[in-house]
Amino acid sequence: MSFVDLQSARKKKENKSFVGAKSSNAETKPGNQDQSYFGSDGSSSSQQLSDAITAQLPAGLEVRADEYTGRGVHTKSHVQAGSVLISCRPRINIISTQHLDVYCSYCCERPQSNGVLKRCTRCRQVWYCNAACQNNDWSIHKSECAALQRWKSHAPSEHVSVPGDAVRCLGRIVWTMQKEGQDSSWVKEFNSMQSHRTSLPPSAVDSHAHLAHALVQYLGVSSPIELAPFGLSSAADLVDLISRFTTNTFTLTTSSLGPIGICVSPVMALVNHSCDPNAVMVFPHSSDSTVPRPNMQLIAIRDIKPNEQIFGSYVDVTLPKEIRQRELQETYNFRCKCSLCVRRDIWIDPRESVRCPKSCGGICPAPIDDDDLCRCDKCGAVVPATDSIVDARRVGQEAVDKATLVQDQDPAKAKQLTSNMIPILISTGLTPSSHPLLPLYRIHLELLVSTLGSQLNQETLDEAIRTSAKYNAGLSNVLTKGHPVRGVALSELGKLLAVDEPSPASPDSNPPPAAAFPPSGPARLRLAHETLVRALEELSIGFGKCNNGGELGQEVRRMILRLESEMKVWTQGVRNVMADTRAAAS
């Protein structure tokens, strides 16, 4: 996840005042995951795990030790795709700064259709649905409230008047630890999560130092000694706190996977990583009002056999292996050894593939600097001009980084980057699932959709539909059917197809070629219906069958019914016209 930058102008000596130097004999623990439930000194914390964590697991799951992955969650019996494996409320959650006035800081929900959020009258930064949410949050917010006021009074500008997401979440953690007491199960849960203090990579030292200084300022203390009331008796404890937080934090999302904050859940942190996961963590926002909000759930996206380990994913698995491994090493301090990462057969990863130069329908591995001999997996044709593909992918990655950076501040510039780069990558033969073409499709689609509300026209709508279709085609080659990202993308395509056309093709005009996409008129309506039906099938898996696909699934179901009604009216209208024509002829 990305955190807001924390006061970048820091003196070098300040970076050393709270964070100790990296141990010279640091060693990364072996395994495929972050060894989440070993103590910070490498010792087993089985008693803490047994008392504070195991009791939260459903009867069909248990924690077992594995030779390669350490501790992880295993099934006791067969689990069907779409089943809810774990359901819980995060121990700590915060809304991101840019969304504070949009989502309730306690339940993380939007207000009802005719309601508005109510702001805390003291700090004037945090908002709630109603008095009940504010009262439920007050035990922690009373400390947070004073800290927010203090931070704002010392902020050099309005732009930094609210601390970053990570700092605010860490603040809530230490205040809760202080409130619950060091011997509480809450603190034992948090402390049982993995800390990489003794093996921090050099790239993490500065970020940990910035977080430490910002947190100390936010708490209103001036030295490490004053951290004792929070259970932090040394600089090492402070680094452990930050390391556990950065290693075990989840993104808080909407029902359509839009990021709105961050959260911490020790029981969810039990789940180990795989780049080919059999489960996902989501916030389905089901209609069950008895479930405490926010409600995070671990959902099986495949059938899972008895005694099989449950794996989620810590990174975006649509990324190529090299980028996934780098992100896992930098953030979680391990290299992945899952089945996808260690494959040694002739399989070609669709994340790094180009079309056959002879258009036989096969694919070729994308060339790299060290290996420029690439053959089609179907006909054996050799890919020519590999240098141009390598260069295009490198420039494409730069375009992804730049477009992501300016997407919110300067959408016109971001759109110019994606519009220019996508045709270049297509011309080199990259498949839709290949990186960096796939993320460019995603960014370009988001930029197009953001303009439809203010300037809806046929050309932009059709371009958005075509881009969405290509993005979906790419996702279908790298993600398991039922993955929530696939379901959300399909629902977005269905919604775009269902939008009323500003300038539909005239019935009297020459009919478009049979292969023209997107179609117009009734054919578009039928395609929208088919796409939304497929989306609902995938959402019902990715967001849980018992949740009926979550809030997004319910929305898609309503759209399907509306489209069926429109199609029925259109069909009946055609029948009436034909009947009137026959009557007039007779």
Side-chain angles (χ1 to χ4, degrees):
M1 85 186 45
S2 59
F3 297 126
V4 177
D5 290 338
L6 302 169
Q7 297 195 356
S8 57
R10 300 284 187 186
K11 295 180 181 179
K12 188 174 181 180
K13 64 179 182 180
E14 291 179 335
N15 287 344
K16 299 180 179 179
S17 57
F18 284 95
V19 180
K22 181 178 179 287
S23 172
S24 59
N25 62 350
E27 179 180 350
T28 302
K29 294 172 183 173
N32 187 38
Q33 42 79 58
D34 64 349
Q35 299 282 350
S36 297
Y37 286 86
F38 280 81
S40 59
D41 60 352
S43 61
S44 172
S45 54
S46 58
Q47 186 59 45
Q48 288 186 353
L49 176 63
S50 176
D51 293 343
I53 303 292
T54 308
Q56 299 180 42
L57 291 174
L61 304 178
E62 65 179 1
V63 177
R64 301 177 192 169
D66 182 274
E67 179 182 358
Y68 299 102
T69 62
R71 282 196 173 97
V73 180
H74 292 70
T75 61
K76 294 181 181 179
S77 57
H78 182 268
V79 176
Q80 289 186 334
S83 300
V84 177
L85 297 165
I86 303 175
S87 179
C88 66
R89 193 181 195 277
R91 288 303 192 210
I92 294 291
N93 56 265
I94 63 104
I95 298 294
S96 292
T97 303
Q98 65 268 35
H99 298 301
L100 280 172
D101 59 348
V102 181
Y103 295 90
C104 173
S105 282
Y106 178 72
C107 69
C108 305
E109 297 285 329
R110 282 180 177 269
Q112 298 300 321
S113 57
N114 58 349
V116 293
L117 293 174
K118 303 182 185 302
R119 181 163 55 179
C120 173
T121 56
R122 299 185 183 185
C123 67
R124 303 186 66 78
Q125 301 290 351
V126 174
W127 299 69
Y128 297 100
C129 292
N130 48 46
C133 281
Q134 186 171 16
N135 290 337
N136 289 334
D137 199 44
W138 180 244
S139 63
I140 297 302
H141 180 61
K142 63 182 177 182
S143 299
E144 178 185 59
C145 191
L148 287 170
Q149 295 176 68
R150 182 171 55 248
W151 180 282
K152 184 176 182 179
S153 67
H154 293 93
S157 68
E158 186 66 25
H159 180 67
V160 291
S161 61
V162 179
D165 300 352
V167 177
R168 288 190 289 114
C169 195
L170 282 165
R172 284 195 161 231
I173 289 171
V174 297
W175 288 317
T176 303
M177 294 173 77
Q178 182 183 37
K179 170 178 171 286
E180 297 292 332
Q182 295 304 304
D183 293 330
S184 65
S185 61
W186 196 100
V187 173
K188 290 179 180 178
E189 283 183 43
F190 186 84
N191 287 340
S192 66
M193 295 191 297
Q194 172 66 21
S195 165
H196 293 303
R197 171 172 57 84
T198 60
S199 56
L200 283 177
S203 59
V205 173
D206 283 347
S207 63
H208 278 54
H210 289 326
L211 271 178
H213 283 288
L215 177 60
V216 166
Q217 180 182 351
Y218 187 50
L219 295 175
V221 300
S222 57
S223 70
I225 297 176
E226 296 180 51
L227 292 172
F230 303 104
L232 304 172
S233 58
S234 66
D237 287 344
L238 182 57
V239 181
D240 280 338
L241 170 76
I242 294 172
S243 182
R244 290 189 180 102
F245 165 77
T246 56
T247 302
N248 297 283
T249 302
F250 296 91
T251 301
L252 180 68
T253 69
T254 65
S255 60
S256 57
L257 305 181
I260 59 171
I262 53 179
C263 63
V264 177
S265 173
V267 68
M268 288 291 189
L270 275 169
V271 179
N272 288 328
H273 166 83
S274 171
C275 295
D276 188 20
N278 55 17
V280 290
M281 198 281 292
V282 293
F283 293 81
H285 298 257
S286 67
S287 57
D288 187 352
S289 60
T290 64
V291 176
R293 306 296 179 90
N295 176 232
M296 61 192 308
Q297 294 186 349
L298 185 69
I299 310 288
I301 56 173
R302 295 176 179 160
D303 289 352
I304 304 176
K305 299 176 182 178
N307 301 312
E308 188 177 345
Q309 185 170 179
I310 297 168
F311 289 104
S313 175
Y314 298 174
V315 296
D316 180 359
V317 295
T318 66
L319 296 171
K321 175 184 173 180
E322 181 182 352
I323 299 178
R324 298 198 308 270
Q325 293 284 16
R326 183 171 66 246
E327 291 188 359
L328 290 168
Q329 186 66 54
E330 291 177 352
T331 305
Y332 303 101
N333 212 31
F334 74 92
R335 288 189 63 80
C336 182
K337 299 176 184 177
C338 71
S339 58
L340 184 64
C341 289
V342 300
R343 290 189 69 157
R344 294 292 184 268
D345 55 19
I346 60 174
W347 172 76
I348 297 175
D349 190 344
R351 299 163 183 80
E352 301 177 88
S353 60
V354 294
R355 301 182 190 278
C356 172
K358 293 187 176 180
S359 302
C360 76
I363 60 173
C364 316
I368 57 177
D369 288 329
D370 298 333
D371 184 7
D372 59 359
L373 180 59
C374 304
R375 295 181 179 275
C376 173
D377 64 348
K378 190 173 181 180
C379 71
V382 177
V383 177
T386 56
D387 287 346
S388 63
I389 300 177
V390 172
D391 292 340
R393 294 183 69 204
R394 185 181 297 113
V395 176
Q397 180 62 62
E398 294 175 0
V400 170
D401 295 338
K402 291 178 182 178
T404 302
L405 186 64
V406 302
Q407 183 175 356
D408 294 330
Q409 291 77 19
D410 193 348
K413 182 177 181 180
K415 187 178 178 183
Q416 182 181 22
L417 284 167
T418 57
S419 298
N420 291 340
M421 197 68 232
I422 287 175
I424 294 174
L425 294 177
I426 293 175
S427 69
T428 65
L430 286 188
T431 61
S433 59
S434 193
H435 189 85
L437 183 55
L438 183 62
L440 282 171
Y441 277 142
R442 175 184 54 78
I443 297 170
H444 191 63
L445 174 61
E446 291 172 355
L447 293 167
L448 290 170
V449 171
S450 67
T451 64
L452 290 179
S454 58
Q455 49 184 27
L456 179 62
N457 58 70
Q458 192 72 35
E459 182 180 357
T460 304
L461 177 60
D462 287 353
E463 184 184 358
I465 292 172
R466 285 190 290 268
T467 304
S468 179
K470 293 173 183 176
Y471 178 56
N472 274 275
L475 288 178
S476 67
N477 285 329
V478 294
L479 296 180
T480 303
K481 182 178 181 180
H483 195 290
V485 171
R486 282 181 45 147
V488 170
L490 270 173
S491 67
E492 291 175 345
L493 174 57
K495 291 176 184 178
L496 287 170
L497 287 164
V499 172
D500 290 337
E501 296 181 74
S503 305
S506 170
D508 298 329
S509 62
N510 294 326
F517 186 85
S520 186
R524 180 179 292 209
L525 208 61
R526 286 193 297 271
L527 183 58
H529 180 268
E530 293 170 3
T531 304
L532 289 172
V533 169
R534 288 171 52 209
L536 185 58
E537 292 175 356
E538 302 223 13
L539 292 171
S540 295
I541 296 174
F543 288 97
K545 291 182 178 179
C546 66
N547 300 319
N548 295 314
E551 186 177 66
L552 181 58
Q554 295 295 324
E555 179 186 350
V556 169
R557 186 173 283 102
R558 289 192 293 270
M559 289 193 66
I560 290 173
L561 293 175
R562 180 177 64 81
L563 285 174
E564 288 176 348
S565 178
E566 290 183 19
M567 292 166 66
K568 183 178 180 180
V569 169
W570 177 83
T571 302
Q572 186 59 48
V574 171
R575 289 173 179 170
N576 291 340
V577 169
M578 293 179 66
D580 292 343
T581 302
R582 286 195 298 268
S586 60

